[in-house]
Amino acid sequence: MAANFLIPVPAFSLAAKQWDTASVLITSPTSDGHGISCSSVSALSSVSRKKRNSSLVVSATGETLTGVVFQPFEEVKKEVFGVPNSPQVSLARQYFVDECESAINEQINVEYTASYVYHAMFAYFDRDNIALKGLAKFFKESSEEEREHAEKLMKYQNIRGGKVVLHSILTPPSEFEHVEKGDALYAMELALSLEKLTNEKLLRLQKVADENNDPQMADFVESEFLTEQVESIKKIAEYVTQLRMVGKGHGVWHFDQMLLN
């Protein structure tokens, strides 16, 4: 049995150069899947193809559609979708609360602070009277990585329509010598503690996103930072273990050479 459809649609006409007249009916397949039939339609789309000197022309009669669930011209009238007129207000901002914006700025400061500390470590181990080039290389790369994280957060802040506010950074230590542990182990233990602190701050940032019902921000923190952070903690923890085994003597030089490769 042929299926019956009552589908009101706007009728329209198209005119193009050197086309013949044709008609198109809205139909449905027969029950056996072969052939096409239609017992009832509420609208007929007429396609007129005639010789004209102009290009393709489309015009609609404006008949009302039924069963519509999305009415863009009505829904955009809601205040939440309004486009601000003030040049001081972000056009992109949507469902991005002040608490999330502030938390991101705080995390930017955390990343820059870690970068600053690692840069101080690089400068220390790069001295001629320290001359542990492997450690210097490792901490320089760590500093650059933390700065990249800060810049990634800054870019995300701008994407969401927030404002980046940079806070003050404390001066890091410039000496890392330790009587009992030696400078290499002491610096690496400090790095491990710093990575754990950064991870704790990132977890809090994700919590702020969850508490403010911002799944996109929570996903950003998880996908861009958390996995990499726990991997860094594992790697530096292994370095601490190795430096504890080799002590302060000649083994530190061999450990340093390993970092160069």
Side-chain angles (χ1 to χ4, degrees):
M1 180 182 294
N4 298 330
F5 284 85
L6 295 175
I7 309 176
V9 295
F12 60 89
S13 61
L14 300 103
K17 187 176 181 180
Q18 295 182 348
W19 283 4
D20 296 325
T21 301
S23 296
V24 179
L25 291 176
I26 300 176
T27 63
S28 63
T30 59
S31 59
D32 62 357
H34 299 286
I36 294 179
S37 64
C38 181
S39 60
S40 177
V41 294
S42 61
L44 175 64
S45 297
S46 299
V47 182
S48 300
R49 300 168 179 172
K50 299 179 181 179
K51 288 184 178 181
R52 293 186 59 180
N53 294 327
S54 62
S55 58
L56 186 66
V57 178
V58 179
S59 63
T61 63
E63 293 182 14
T64 303
L65 291 172
T66 60
V68 173
V69 295
F70 177 52
Q71 302 182 53
F73 294 105
E74 290 298 322
E75 294 185 37
V76 295
K77 293 179 182 178
K78 297 178 182 178
E79 184 178 351
V80 69
F81 302 122
V83 179
N85 294 321
S86 172
Q88 303 300 322
V89 179
S90 169
L91 301 178
R93 188 165 185 147
Q94 184 182 24
Y95 303 126
F96 189 56
V97 301
D98 292 341
E99 187 178 0
C100 289
E101 181 180 2
S102 297
I104 289 176
N105 283 329
E106 290 178 8
Q107 189 63 35
I108 291 171
N109 182 261
V110 170
E111 302 292 344
Y112 269 131
T113 299
S115 175
Y116 212 28
V117 173
Y118 283 142
H119 220 166
M121 292 179 179
F122 152 71
Y124 172 83
F125 288 103
D126 192 53
R127 296 179 190 172
D128 67 283
N129 59 328
I130 305 298
L132 293 173
K133 297 297 184 179
L135 284 163
K137 174 176 176 286
F138 172 76
F139 287 124
K140 184 175 187 296
E141 291 173 350
S142 297
S143 175
E144 292 171 349
E145 181 179 312
E146 299 301 332
R147 187 177 70 249
E148 289 174 0
H149 289 174
E151 292 173 353
K152 186 179 293 185
L153 286 162
M154 294 170 73
K155 184 176 180 180
Y156 179 78
Q157 184 83 291
N158 288 334
I159 288 175
R160 292 299 302 273
K163 292 182 180 179
V164 174
V165 178
L166 298 179
H167 302 294
S168 300
I169 300 176
L170 295 176
T171 303
S174 58
E175 300 294 330
F176 297 94
E177 182 57 62
H178 193 280
V179 176
E180 297 178 0
K181 299 178 181 180
D183 50 11
L185 176 57
Y186 174 66
M188 198 61 72
E189 287 182 347
L190 178 59
L192 178 59
S193 298
L194 195 57
E195 290 296 322
K196 287 183 176 181
L197 175 61
T198 301
N199 187 53
E200 181 179 328
K201 297 292 187 180
L202 285 169
L203 291 173
R204 182 186 179 279
L205 182 63
Q206 186 187 39
K207 184 179 179 181
V208 170
D210 288 335
E211 290 174 346
N212 288 278
N213 194 28
D214 195 330
Q216 199 283 324
M217 177 177 163
D219 177 71
F220 167 74
V221 175
E222 181 177 353
S223 61
E224 296 291 337
F225 295 99
L226 294 184
T227 299
E228 181 179 338
Q229 194 63 35
V230 296
E231 290 174 351
S232 295
I233 291 174
K234 172 65 162 54
K235 179 176 69 174
I236 296 178
E238 291 175 347
Y239 289 166
V240 169
T241 299
Q242 292 167 3
L243 285 169
R244 285 178 176 178
M245 289 189 292
V246 301
K248 296 191 298 181
H250 188 67
V252 173
W253 183 85
H254 287 286
F255 176 86
D256 184 75
Q257 292 300 302
M258 176 197 71
L259 294 179
L260 280 175
N261 298 327

